[in-house]
Amino acid sequence: MYKAVKTPSFFRTLILFIALAVFMIGCGSNSEENNDDSNTADQNEETETNAAAEEDANDESEASDLYHEIGETFEMTGYYSDVPAEVTINDIWIEDDPEHQEYIEDNIASPTEDDVVVFVDYTVKNVGDTDMTMGDLIPEYTDANIELDLSYPENDTFTDFTESFQVPLEAGESMDVVGAVPADKNDQYTSALMWNITQDVPEIVFHTPQDERRDKIGTYDIGEDMYLFDQGEDSFYRVNISNIEVVEEYEGIEKFDDNSSFFAIDMEFENQLEEDVSLYGTFPSVFADGQEAIHSGNLVIDGQVVEDLYEGPEGKISPGETIEGTVYLEVIDENMEEVELLYLNPTLLTFPDYAMRINYN
């Protein structure tokens, strides 16, 4: 009796033990596989994150090579003298004091209440072996399209706007300078100080630093907000491109060339500025081989082609308004594979390196 009871109990225990061991081994194996899968996923995610961060860092690094910061000393070569010099922008500020009104009226054809005087405090040093003149060291304020006036306010060193260009700077000599330019107060958001414009990439210092702006130069991915104008706080103009396709035809749009196709660009436009904006003026520019390519633009909203895009009210977007539509950019077929879609900097139109590029490939 005793043996009859004990024998099956022993085997049941043994079988249960073996089953439990197999189960534990299986769990351990699955756990290791899951851990391996998890570790692999984590590593892949970390690699992708690091790659994206590295790409962003490279983009920022490449962009930062195009300009200098306020407070940074950089070297340039004078266009007229071919003499090297060091330049440091110490400060940029705006004054709208009534005492500047006469100066503004003397220099702006149709002055408004938004006009101010921009002042720039900077230091220059001739680091060459020969003398040079200040004409090589006076930057253009890009929005106003004029060089700084070193004679305002009145001073003993620079007594006249034009004569200041002839003031010599001897080899090894440095000079602290204050220059002024009358401009619209909103020019601070788009303007830059620019030296030696004959270079492919001139010497540039932005009035409002890039790291304080939403409309930074660089490359933007599909679906990423692009701020074409940023006037601080809640004043801006934004576009978002959600999709880009190439199509041969679109019903309702007559092509200017039989050997052409369309970039069909799904876009959202948002105007948070104080004035109407032309939608056509905020289409992407088309470049091929570094030059603007021949193209035409049309806009389709709710399935309808906007007929009077250039002059009619349908072609404009009002303050506070958001519009969705598809932009059709017609481009010659031979240029399609080489096309870059970008937004030129509004005050550096002849320098596409300073554009906002669309990464659509």
Side-chain angles (χ1 to χ4, degrees):
M1 182 74 178
Y2 174 80
K3 289 183 179 179
V5 173
K6 184 174 181 178
T7 302
S9 174
F10 172 77
F11 281 108
R12 282 199 304 268
T13 302
L14 181 61
I15 292 170
L16 288 173
F17 178 80
I18 294 172
L20 180 61
V22 171
F23 175 76
M24 293 298 292
I25 291 171
C27 287
S29 176
N30 288 337
S31 177
E32 288 178 4
E33 290 177 2
N34 289 337
N35 285 338
D36 289 343
D37 291 343
S38 177
N39 290 336
T40 301
D42 290 343
Q43 288 173 357
N44 289 338
E45 183 177 350
E46 183 177 355
T47 300
E48 292 174 0
T49 301
N50 290 340
E54 184 176 348
E55 184 177 350
D56 290 342
N58 289 338
D59 288 343
E60 291 180 7
S61 176
E62 291 176 5
S64 64
D65 291 340
L66 300 172
Y67 58 86
H68 309 288
E69 302 285 359
I70 296 173
E72 173 190 350
T73 298
F74 60 91
E75 186 170 308
M76 57 160 290
T77 301
Y79 170 71
Y80 300 104
S81 62
D82 200 33
V83 174
E86 290 181 347
V87 179
T88 308
I89 300 298
N90 303 312
D91 196 12
I92 305 176
W93 72 96
I94 285 175
E95 293 185 11
D96 58 359
D97 195 289
E99 68 180 22
H100 301 309
Q101 192 60 36
E102 182 178 352
Y103 180 66
I104 290 172
E105 292 175 353
D106 288 344
N107 289 276
I108 296 181
S110 301
T112 70
E113 60 181 12
D114 291 330
D115 292 324
V116 297
V117 177
V118 178
F119 287 94
V120 182
D121 179 314
Y122 68 111
T123 302
V124 294
K125 182 178 181 179
N126 181 345
V127 295
D129 298 326
T130 58
D131 295 352
M132 65 192 310
T133 62
M134 288 299 297
D136 274 333
L137 300 170
I138 301 176
E140 175 185 319
Y141 190 72
T142 56
D143 242 327
N145 195 29
I146 191 172
E147 287 84 359
L148 295 183
D149 182 357
L150 304 187
S151 67
Y152 186 83
E154 294 181 3
N155 60 83
D156 295 333
T157 305
F158 307 101
T159 57
D160 180 82
F161 174 73
T162 55
E163 289 181 1
S164 65
F165 289 79
Q166 305 304 318
V167 173
L169 188 67
E170 298 178 357
E173 182 183 4
S174 63
M175 184 182 296
D176 294 326
V177 183
V178 175
V181 60
D184 186 287
K185 66 180 181 182
N186 286 325
D187 290 350
Q188 64 182 300
Y189 301 112
T190 53
S191 263
L193 300 169
M194 178 168 61
W195 293 259
N196 203 344
I197 63 174
T198 60
Q199 301 176 146
D200 291 338
V201 178
E203 309 298 340
I204 290 283
V205 175
F206 286 101
H207 183 151
T208 302
Q210 286 286 296
D211 61 4
E212 297 178 13
R213 306 191 54 71
R214 286 175 287 198
D215 56 351
K216 295 180 179 67
I217 60 178
T219 302
Y220 291 76
D221 293 329
I222 296 295
E224 190 173 358
D225 285 338
M226 304 176 69
Y227 292 86
L228 308 188
F229 302 99
D230 174 17
Q231 296 183 353
E233 297 181 353
D234 297 324
S235 183
F236 59 83
Y237 187 95
R238 178 188 65 85
V239 299
N240 189 295
I241 295 174
S242 58
N243 188 51
I244 298 179
E245 295 180 2
V246 175
V247 298
E248 294 184 1
E249 306 281 347
Y250 185 84
E251 185 178 354
I253 299 178
E254 184 177 351
K255 296 168 68 173
F256 67 76
D257 193 293
D258 291 336
N259 299 312
S260 65
S261 300
F262 294 103
F263 281 102
I265 309 172
D266 295 329
M267 296 187 64
E268 181 180 74
F269 307 84
E270 180 183 4
N271 181 13
Q272 295 297 340
L273 301 175
E274 296 180 354
E275 63 278 341
D276 290 349
V277 175
S278 165
L279 289 165
Y280 177 78
T282 56
F283 291 176
S285 295
V286 179
F287 270 65
D289 292 330
Q291 302 292 326
E292 189 160 16
I294 297 174
H295 67 283
S296 68
N298 286 275
L299 178 63
V300 175
I301 299 176
D302 295 330
Q304 300 295 317
V305 178
V306 176
E307 297 294 341
D308 198 355
L309 184 61
Y310 302 98
E311 299 295 337
E314 284 184 301
K316 295 181 179 179
I317 179 170
S318 301
E321 189 175 8
T322 299
I323 292 176
E324 293 183 0
T326 301
V327 172
Y328 286 84
L329 298 179
E330 182 183 357
V331 181
I332 302 297
D333 286 337
E334 65 182 24
N335 292 326
M336 291 297 287
E337 292 185 359
E338 302 172 354
V339 160
E340 285 187 289
L341 299 176
L342 49 83
Y343 284 101
L344 296 169
N345 187 291
T347 64
L348 299 168
L349 296 175
T350 57
F351 300 100
D353 285 325
Y354 295 90
M356 305 168 73
R357 283 180 160 73
I358 302 165
N359 179 23
Y360 67 92
N361 290 321

